[in-house]
């Protein structure tokens, strides 16, 4: 397991890998569509769960925000916060709810500052989770229904890339 | 900042450029309205709006919306606190409409303390939204007159939207950027966590000003008196997110027990005076749990009395 812990501290490698996998899926999209998203989702489920589970402690929310959040899974935050840390972080950087774990947003922010591709995306506002996607492959969800994942009246915001 | 969209007195006051004072009221463990009104009456004289907490610390009390309705009915200006811990998006959107219909004009959108710190830790937590998503939903309902589903609302909820920030905890560098996110999501005003660390707050505000954020929202700084050295220790070790510098705790420790309450009050007045000197601060937010009786004295000693006449504010 140490190797995975180690990898997490190299978010730049992870984001590159993520970028690559996403590209492959996009290229394969026409083929996947022909086979049927539902069917491919069934094949993808286990491999995705296992790989992302080991690497990110992925909770299979079905709407991957990893690259927005420093390649750190926000669903491991006990409050499932997707837009940044709550106000309860302890002075030793541990979580308000679970003093045994470092607040995932402390890690997410630190890591995103080391990411060259997606580093600034932590400043984008994430829409509420679409609970119908939970438990399914995030890559397939993105291909089949990515544009319709947010509530209809939710307007994407431009993000706060005013940065320092 | 644009015209008064909510008809809220708090909004009018802040827009006029005067220092605002809000005060926190904890709804009672009682179904008797008089218990709430008693607590509200004195605080209302020395403040411009009363915040009603929403099961603060994940402990059950009279609901925020119920308490706000009672007080709004009596003519008080209230800020309804609303957390994402106990309600899903259907309930939250419904409550925003209900609140506005009752006459509540200010809503503070919060994530909420976790259930594990309350007296019923076995509770199922909801967190269908986070505070930013709640803010943006309220803004969408107000400005676009639709629910998140896109369904039309015939009369939109006219609300002055607030958010909370905690400049004092990690990740420190991210905190001003999180404020930017909240403003973009829809925050018109901000109430901060307890400010005991002036230095850290000054640094925070410097970044806030550099980003121009103080011109996009009104920032009210959270303050409150320490009752004793023990209370200070309790606050900083047991209440998530409260930071009290050692120097302050030592100052309390060196004070004889009997005089500690007086000293805590003095510290609070000093903090108020110091934060009001910081550019970009629009007012203070008093949180004096179980010390409501001295709030009036503190505000008076900080030279913030009398409060402006509400009738005169548009
Ligand atoms: S402290 Fe961090 S990990 Fe814990 S609930 Fe708050 S944001 Fe989530």
């Amino acid at each position: 397991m140490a190797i995975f812990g180690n990898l997490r501290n190299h978010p730049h490698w992870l984001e590159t890998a993520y970028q690559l996998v996403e590209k492959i899926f996009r290229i394969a999209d026409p083929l996947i569509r022909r086979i049927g998203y539902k069917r491919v989702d069934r094949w993808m489920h286990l491999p995705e769960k296992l790989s992302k589970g080991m690497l990110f402690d992925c909770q299979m929310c079905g709407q991957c925000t990893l690259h927005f959040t420093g390649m750190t899974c926000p669903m491991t935050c006990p409050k499932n916060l997707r837009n940044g840390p709550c106000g309860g972080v302890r002075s030793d950087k541990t979580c308000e709810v679970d003093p045994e774990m470092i607040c995932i947003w402390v890690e997410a922010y630190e890591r995103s500052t080391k990411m060259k591709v997606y580093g600034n995306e932590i400043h984008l506002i994430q829409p509420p989770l679409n609970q119908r996607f939970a438990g399914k492959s995030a890559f397939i969800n993105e291909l089949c229904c990515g544009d319709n994942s947010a509530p209809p009246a939710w307007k994407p915001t431009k993000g706060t890339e005013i940065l320092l | 900042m644009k015209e008064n969209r909510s008809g809220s007195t708090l909004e009018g006051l802040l827009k006029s450029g005067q220092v605002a004072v809000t005060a926190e009221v904890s709804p009672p463990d009682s179904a008797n309205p008089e218990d709430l009104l008693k607590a509200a009456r004195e605080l209302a004289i020395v403040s411009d709006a009363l915040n009603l907490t929403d099961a603060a610390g994940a402990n059950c009390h009279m609901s925020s919306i119920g308490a706000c309705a009672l007080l709004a009915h009596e003519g008080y200006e209230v800020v309804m606190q609303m957390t994402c811990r106990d309600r899903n998006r259907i309930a939250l959107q419904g409550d925003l409409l209900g609140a506005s219909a009752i006459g509540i004009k200010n809503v503070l959108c919060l994530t909420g303390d976790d259930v594990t710190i309350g007296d019923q830790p076995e509770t199922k937590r909801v967190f269908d939204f986070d505070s930013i998503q709640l803010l943006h939903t309220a803004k969408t309902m107000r400005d676009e007159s639709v629910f998140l589903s896109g369904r039309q609302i015939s009369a939109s909820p006219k609300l002055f939207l607030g958010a909370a920030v905690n400049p004092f905890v990690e990740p420190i560098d991210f905190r001003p950027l999180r404020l930017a996110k909240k403003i973009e999501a829809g925050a018109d005003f901000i109430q901060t966590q307890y400010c005991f660390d002036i230095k850290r707050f000054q640094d925070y505000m410097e970044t806030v000003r550099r980003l121009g954020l103080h011109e996009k929202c009104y920032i009210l700084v959270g303050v409150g008196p320490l009752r004793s050295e023990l209370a200070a220790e309790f606050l900083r070790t047991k209440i998530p997110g409260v930071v009290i510098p050692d120097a302050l705790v030592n100052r309390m420790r060196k004070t004889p027990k009997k005089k500690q309450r007086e000293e805590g009050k003095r510290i609070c007045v000093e903090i108020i005076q110091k934060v009001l000197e910081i550019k970009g601060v629009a007012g203070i937010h008093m949180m004096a749990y179980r010390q409501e009786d001295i709030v009036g004295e503190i505000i008076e000693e900080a030279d913030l009395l009398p409060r402006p006449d509400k009738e005169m504010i548009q």
Side-chain angles (χ1 to χ4, degrees):
Chain A
M1 282 301 153
I3 173 158
F4 297 118
N6 216 335
L7 261 177
R8 284 182 212 179
N9 293 327
H10 291 92
H12 179 52
W13 299 352
L14 291 173
E15 68 171 345
T16 316
Y18 185 93
Q19 209 181 8
L20 190 74
V21 176
E22 221 210 330
K23 236 181 228 155
I24 295 172
F25 269 94
R26 291 246 176 252
I27 293 169
D29 186 26
L31 180 67
I32 299 177
R33 195 172 330 135
R34 200 144 3 117
I35 303 174
Y37 290 122
K38 252 211 181 120
R39 193 183 290 173
V40 181
D41 175 67
R42 249 174 281 140
W43 302 339
M44 274 303 299
H45 188 88
L46 199 62
E48 186 167 331
K49 191 170 173 171
L50 286 178
S51 58
K52 278 170 39 180
M54 277 190 289
L55 272 172
F56 307 107
D57 210 359
C58 163
Q59 313 282 310
M60 291 298 279
C61 73
Q63 281 151 280
C64 203
T65 54
L66 278 171
H67 58 99
F68 296 111
T69 52
M71 304 307 286
T72 310
C73 175
M75 300 313 280
T76 52
C77 158
K79 297 185 186 174
N80 290 170
L81 302 183
R82 289 173 76 91
N83 279 300
C86 74
V89 187
R90 295 165 197 260
S91 52
D92 57 357
K93 301 188 182 181
T94 55
C95 166
E96 152 183 342
V97 183
D98 178 2
E100 305 277 285
M101 90 183 206
I102 300 283
C103 164
I104 72 107
W105 280 100
V106 170
E107 292 183 324
Y109 180 65
E110 278 170 12
R111 288 174 188 161
S112 71
T113 58
K114 293 184 203 152
M115 279 165 45
K116 299 186 186 100
V117 187
Y118 300 115
N120 273 344
E121 295 202 344
I122 196 164
H123 303 296
L124 295 172
I125 295 179
Q126 295 301 321
L129 262 183
N130 188 332
Q131 300 292 344
R132 286 180 301 181
F133 286 1
K136 300 198 185 126
S137 158
F139 286 112
I140 302 296
N141 282 339
E142 181 61 34
L143 289 182
C144 81
C145 355
D147 299 339
N148 301 322
S149 58
W154 183 273
K155 282 209 192 119
T157 54
K158 47 187 184 338
T160 47
E161 288 160 45
I162 18 172
L163 307 197
L164 307 175
Chain B
M1 282 167 253
K2 303 140 232 139
E3 80 290 5
N4 190 333
R5 284 180 290 200
S6 60
S8 135
T9 308
L10 180 63
E11 180 172 9
L13 178 76
L14 287 164
K15 289 219 147 93
S16 74
Q18 301 176 73
V19 170
V21 177
T22 55
E24 185 173 282
V25 180
S26 310
D29 296 336
S30 153
N32 180 356
E34 198 37 49
D35 292 334
L36 172 73
L37 292 169
K38 216 170 28 205
R41 229 168 263 136
E42 278 176 37
L43 283 177
I45 301 169
V46 295
S47 65
D48 306 310
L50 300 174
N51 269 58
L52 280 296
T53 52
D54 181 10
N59 291 311
C60 213
H61 304 290
M62 182 192 285
S63 71
S64 174
I65 192 165
C68 281
L70 276 170
L71 294 183
H73 186 71
E74 297 285 321
Y76 293 106
E77 177 79 3
V78 290
V79 179
M80 178 173 88
Q81 301 199 174
M82 202 176 203
T83 73
C84 301
R85 179 194 54 227
D86 311 322
R87 279 164 288 182
N88 68 11
R89 62 190 81 179
I90 298 175
L92 288 169
Q93 290 174 85
D95 278 349
L96 284 169
L97 279 191
S100 179
I102 287 166
I104 295 166
K105 305 235 166 64
N106 314 290
V107 173
L108 185 73
C109 302
L110 305 166
T111 299
D113 298 321
D114 191 66
V115 298
T116 44
I117 69 164
D119 62 353
Q120 300 181 58
E122 67 280 17
T123 307
K124 178 172 175 29
R125 31 173 107 88
V126 180
F127 296 119
D128 188 24
F129 275 177
D130 60 31
S131 57
I132 287 184
Q133 294 159 347
L134 174 59
L135 263 174
H136 197 58
T137 301
K139 183 182 156 80
T140 305
M141 290 172 67
R142 179 190 66 195
D143 297 349
E144 319 282 332
S145 283
V146 288
F147 291 109
L148 273 194
S149 64
R151 198 154 49 79
Q152 208 68 34
I153 298 171
S154 59
S156 64
K158 298 278 174 268
L159 296 167
F160 188 43
L161 297 175
V165 298
N166 188 351
F168 308 102
V169 291
E170 293 286 346
I172 296 285
D173 295 344
F174 188 57
R175 294 287 167 183
L177 298 164
R178 182 157 160 78
L179 169 61
K181 247 188 181 182
K182 291 201 167 182
I183 294 171
E184 195 181 331
D188 302 311
F189 72 98
I190 299 291
Q191 292 176 317
T192 79
Q193 177 57 281
Y194 278 117
C195 171
F196 288 108
D197 191 338
I198 299 277
K199 173 76 185 57
R200 201 170 261 194
F201 187 65
Q202 280 166 336
D203 293 346
Y204 175 82
M205 285 303 293
E206 205 182 301
T207 316
V208 165
R209 287 195 302 272
R210 186 145 41 90
L211 298 172
L213 302 178
H214 63 304
E215 283 160 356
K216 295 188 180 148
C217 70
Y218 302 99
I219 300 174
L220 310 183
V221 187
V223 291
L226 297 167
R227 179 186 275 273
S228 62
E229 180 210 339
L230 270 178
E233 272 310 340
F234 175 82
L235 259 181
R236 70 167 178 175
T237 51
K238 292 282 174 338
I239 305 295
V242 180
V243 175
I244 307 179
D246 293 337
L248 274 192
V249 180
N250 287 339
R251 185 168 152 190
M252 291 296 278
R253 188 172 302 142
K254 283 194 201 116
T255 312
K257 276 227 158 50
K258 273 204 210 106
K259 292 197 175 137
Q260 282 185 352
R261 192 153 189 233
E262 195 53 39
E263 189 68 9
K265 206 173 97 184
R266 198 167 308 133
I267 292 174
C268 186
V269 173
E270 287 171 19
I271 292 178
I272 294 176
Q273 288 168 335
K274 278 191 200 136
V275 295
L276 286 178
E277 281 168 13
I278 301 175
K279 189 163 173 260
V281 169
I284 57 157
H285 174 50
M286 265 303 240
M287 294 175 280
Y289 185 58
R290 293 216 175 123
Q291 294 207 79
E292 287 84 357
D293 53 318
I294 59 167
V295 168
E297 293 166 35
I298 293 175
I299 295 183
E300 177 161 31
E301 280 169 38
D303 246 345
L304 292 169
L305 281 187
R307 299 310 307 147
D309 185 354
K310 291 197 180 62
E311 305 297 314
M312 306 297 287
I313 300 165
Q314 284 142 28

